[in-house]
Amino acid sequence: ISSLIERAGGLTLEAYPDGAFFSRDKLRKLEEERLAEAQKVLEKEILVASTAELGSIENPAVLAQLSQAVSNIRATGRLVIDLEGILNESQRDISLENLDSLNIPKKSFDITVIGEVNRQTSHVFFEDKDKNEYIELSGGFTAFADERGSYVVSANGSIRKGSDNAFFRSGVNDLQPGDTIVVPANIRATNRIKTVNELTNIIYQLSVAAAAVSSFNN
């Protein structure tokens, strides 16, 4: 990667290496397989929810919403990298493969909130605002929100979440420009569909990546 950037003339003054988006074709194909499997699981659970005894699944409507979300997501094949670390040689460089792609955006000055909030949107970044304040600016949690399961996807694609969600209760603002706050859906169900909660995180993480790709193309 470092030699590729050197051949391209280096970074401009407006470049935001923390938001670098590196994608790999074979990872995209793996994501497509995961999405297909997620779709099958969700469709199966929707069928079960429609015939289950009352109380076995509290929020079957959320399953349908997640299934629709999966069908709208396109795999990106993103590989999380520390571009700044690679360039200053504090992180291991990455050998390139055929069809790899690297996009380095201009620095972002917004914070995005997605998932189970009343208004999914982006807000201007302010150093004195914390995660909960941005969630409130997005209309607060919906009835389906998993408040304790909320987390942040950094601009480089990595995920930040403290133990027992202390990250969101600490009152310390460690958000960075370009971060995305994710509020997943709360699926209360039998242990048989425990994997659905895991699928929600996959869906939202891929949504963040897809949104990043979309912003590059605008």
Side-chain angles (χ1 to χ4, degrees):
I1 288 181
S2 59
S3 61
L4 174 66
I5 293 177
E6 182 179 355
R7 288 163 56 190
L11 302 181
T12 69
L13 294 177
E14 296 181 328
Y16 187 38
D18 284 345
F21 195 106
F22 180 76
S23 61
R24 179 157 284 175
D25 191 58
K26 68 179 182 181
L27 294 180
R28 179 184 60 77
K29 293 176 180 177
L30 286 173
E31 284 181 5
E32 289 176 346
E33 293 176 3
R34 292 171 71 190
L35 286 169
E37 183 62 29
Q39 187 73 57
K40 290 179 181 178
V41 171
L42 289 169
E43 289 175 353
K44 179 180 178 180
E45 298 312 328
I46 290 171
L47 179 62
V48 171
S50 65
T51 58
E53 293 182 4
L54 183 64
S56 62
I57 298 177
E58 290 191 22
N59 298 326
V62 178
L63 296 176
Q65 293 175 8
L66 292 173
S67 181
Q68 181 62 43
V70 171
S71 65
N72 292 334
I73 295 172
R74 296 295 175 264
T76 63
R78 184 173 195 175
L79 177 65
V80 175
I81 63 171
D82 180 356
L83 182 59
E84 190 167 359
I86 289 174
L87 295 179
N88 64 29
E89 300 184 350
S90 65
Q91 295 291 324
R92 182 178 178 180
D93 211 335
I94 297 176
S95 298
L96 299 178
E97 298 181 2
N98 188 36
L99 300 180
D100 282 354
S101 174
L102 176 63
N103 192 304
I104 304 171
K106 292 182 180 179
K107 187 162 186 176
S108 173
F109 291 97
D110 57 15
I111 296 291
T112 300
V113 185
I114 68 170
E116 294 302 318
V117 290
N118 285 297
R119 186 166 182 262
Q120 300 186 79
T121 189
S122 295
H123 307 277
V124 176
F125 172 76
F126 291 100
E127 292 184 356
D128 60 344
K129 290 189 181 299
D130 61 21
K131 303 88 183 168
N132 290 317
E133 288 178 292
Y134 282 111
I135 291 175
E136 286 301 314
L137 286 173
S138 292
F141 297 109
T142 70
F144 292 146
D146 180 5
E147 299 181 21
R148 295 174 63 85
S150 302
Y151 56 90
V152 169
V153 179
S154 300
N156 70 355
S158 60
I159 297 173
R160 307 200 309 276
K161 178 181 177 183
S163 175
D164 194 28
N165 215 18
F167 182 78
F168 273 78
R169 301 199 309 270
S170 63
V172 177
N173 180 25
D174 46 8
L175 286 172
Q176 299 297 322
D179 285 353
T180 299
I181 300 170
V182 180
V183 181
N186 184 15
I187 307 292
R188 296 185 180 90
T190 61
N191 290 333
R192 192 180 61 78
I193 61 170
K194 181 180 179 181
T195 55
V196 173
N197 278 317
E198 299 171 1
L199 289 176
T200 63
N201 284 335
I202 294 174
I203 292 167
Y204 284 120
Q205 290 161 30
L206 291 177
S207 296
V208 173
V213 171
S214 177
S215 68
F216 295 151
N217 295 328
N218 289 336

